[in-house]
Amino acid sequence: MSKPLRRGVLVGLAALPAAAPWVSARAQAPDFPDRPLRFIVGFPPGGPNDLLTRLIAPGIAERLGRAVVVENKAGANGEIAASFTAKSPPDGSVFMLASNGSTTVAPALNRNMPYDVRTDFVAVAPVGINPMLLVVRPDLPARTVAELLALARARPGNLNGASAGAGGATHLALELFKAMGRLDIVHVPYKGGGPAMADLMAGQVDLYFGGLSTALPHVKAGKMRALGQTSLERSAAARDIPTIAESGLPGYEAAISYGVFLPAGAPRALVERLHAAVDATIRSPDVARKFVELGADPQFGSPAEFAAYVAQDFAKWAGLAKEAGLKAE
């Protein structure tokens, strides 16, 4: 995918209603159903997936000439929404915004999922990338990724890394770091990111991969130290923090990515029209400006490029799951 825009502040979206239609004044497109389109999101209102969906829904509606209704089908880390979308008619009446947590990560760890991202969806358009931060307790004698790698190699099995739960994004970021760095770091799973960061700040654990928007305030307050971002490029929200890839582990990437998908079998014309609507919406200066508060830098790419990215992401996590013996909890 092409280089993302690096802008913005996202404000006021948490107050939007749980399901609101946006109607365009343009003539309705003949190739989409003559009824409101259902934009599915797999999480409750107020979270990053939901906010991004509601941010781009009005622009999609305007450009397609249809009402677009955001529909929250929360549960099972986005898997309920993905399963629903996969089984929906491929006529353009249903499409979804999903993160790689439910489209590539979960299926890579659990081959018994009721859907397969490689066969049950059409990848329409990338939306954004949300990096995590590799953070350590303030007194850990490592101020850079290179120093942390050296410390972990000098003390195999002595450092521990927290996660917000086994099998989740923060856990897999840690496991990828261990695998690429050939490190022996003990995994300590918590029931959520809040308890994990609390113990990190208290010095009970050594390191953690936390969401940029939640970890950065603690970094700025001096309660933990940020060593690197998990995306391949620095986020606009943290320009002064280098990426892990540029700091000792070339190619390392464990960011949370978001994209729009249609059910498999959707006609090419629908895919191209929806892609154009999503792409143009994200390129809108006002929309692009609002991404950064969530730490989600806009992303752009053709359907083919996005499909290749999804396939690569699935292969990466499937390979890591096999190598590290990881399974969904």
Side-chain angles (χ1 to χ4, degrees):
M1 290 183 284
S2 57
K3 185 177 179 179
L5 295 177
R6 302 290 188 175
R7 308 180 186 181
V9 176
L10 179 58
V11 293
L13 292 174
L16 287 174
W22 290 274
V23 184
S24 168
R26 292 186 179 184
Q28 293 183 335
D31 48 353
F32 277 85
D34 189 14
R35 60 183 183 273
L37 309 180
R38 303 167 72 182
F39 198 1
I40 307 300
V41 59
F43 293 86
N49 289 263
D50 176 75
L51 293 178
L52 287 175
T53 303
R54 295 179 186 281
L55 178 59
I56 66 175
I60 294 173
E62 179 183 357
R63 290 168 175 85
L64 293 183
R66 284 290 188 272
V68 173
V69 179
V70 175
E71 192 170 317
N72 297 86
K73 289 189 174 294
N77 196 33
E79 295 162 22
I80 291 175
S83 182
F84 173 83
T85 303
K87 296 173 183 177
S88 296
D91 61 358
S93 61
V94 174
F95 48 93
M96 74 171 179
L97 183 142
S99 73
N100 58 345
S102 55
T103 56
T104 60
V105 175
L109 270 64
N110 181 7
R111 296 305 178 91
N112 296 318
M113 299 286 286
Y115 58 86
D116 189 324
V117 69
R118 299 166 295 180
T119 58
D120 293 336
F121 302 101
V122 178
V124 176
V127 170
I129 290 283
N130 191 332
M132 289 178 275
L133 287 182
L134 167 55
V135 289
V136 299
R137 54 183 173 85
D139 60 339
L140 191 74
R143 306 194 71 84
T144 65
V145 170
E147 290 179 0
L148 178 61
L149 292 171
L151 182 66
R153 289 164 181 159
R155 303 179 185 178
N158 286 344
L159 296 184
N160 50 56
S163 81
T170 60
H171 178 203
L172 293 186
L174 171 64
E175 293 296 340
L176 184 64
F177 187 73
K178 289 165 56 178
M180 292 184 66
R182 301 185 181 277
L183 307 173
D184 181 4
I185 297 174
V186 179
H187 172 225
V188 182
Y190 285 79
K191 293 182 179 180
M197 286 196 290
D199 269 12
L200 180 73
M201 290 184 282
Q204 300 301 308
V205 289
D206 299 306
L207 60 105
Y208 175 64
F209 288 83
L212 188 151
S213 59
T214 55
L216 193 57
H218 298 299
V219 172
K220 292 181 177 179
K223 296 179 180 180
M224 57 180 69
R225 184 185 307 129
L227 302 188
Q229 302 184 45
T230 63
S231 53
L232 290 177
E233 297 182 18
R234 299 187 188 191
S235 170
R239 287 288 196 185
D240 57 332
I241 301 174
T243 67
I244 295 172
E246 68 182 283
S247 305
L249 282 184
Y252 179 92
E253 182 186 19
I256 301 170
S257 61
Y258 304 90
V260 173
F261 297 83
L262 278 163
R268 182 180 181 87
L270 291 184
V271 175
E272 291 180 346
R273 286 211 60 192
L274 183 56
H275 169 269
V278 174
D279 190 82
T281 297
I282 296 173
R283 291 182 189 277
S284 164
D286 183 59
V287 171
R289 180 181 56 81
K290 293 176 180 177
F291 268 63
V292 175
E293 188 172 297
L294 287 177
D297 292 313
Q299 295 288 299
F300 309 103
S302 69
E305 289 171 331
F306 184 42
Y309 174 85
V310 170
Q312 183 182 42
D313 202 53
F314 178 90
K316 176 173 71 177
W317 298 122
L320 177 65
K322 183 177 180 179
E323 178 182 347
L326 303 176
K327 294 183 180 180
E329 293 292 315

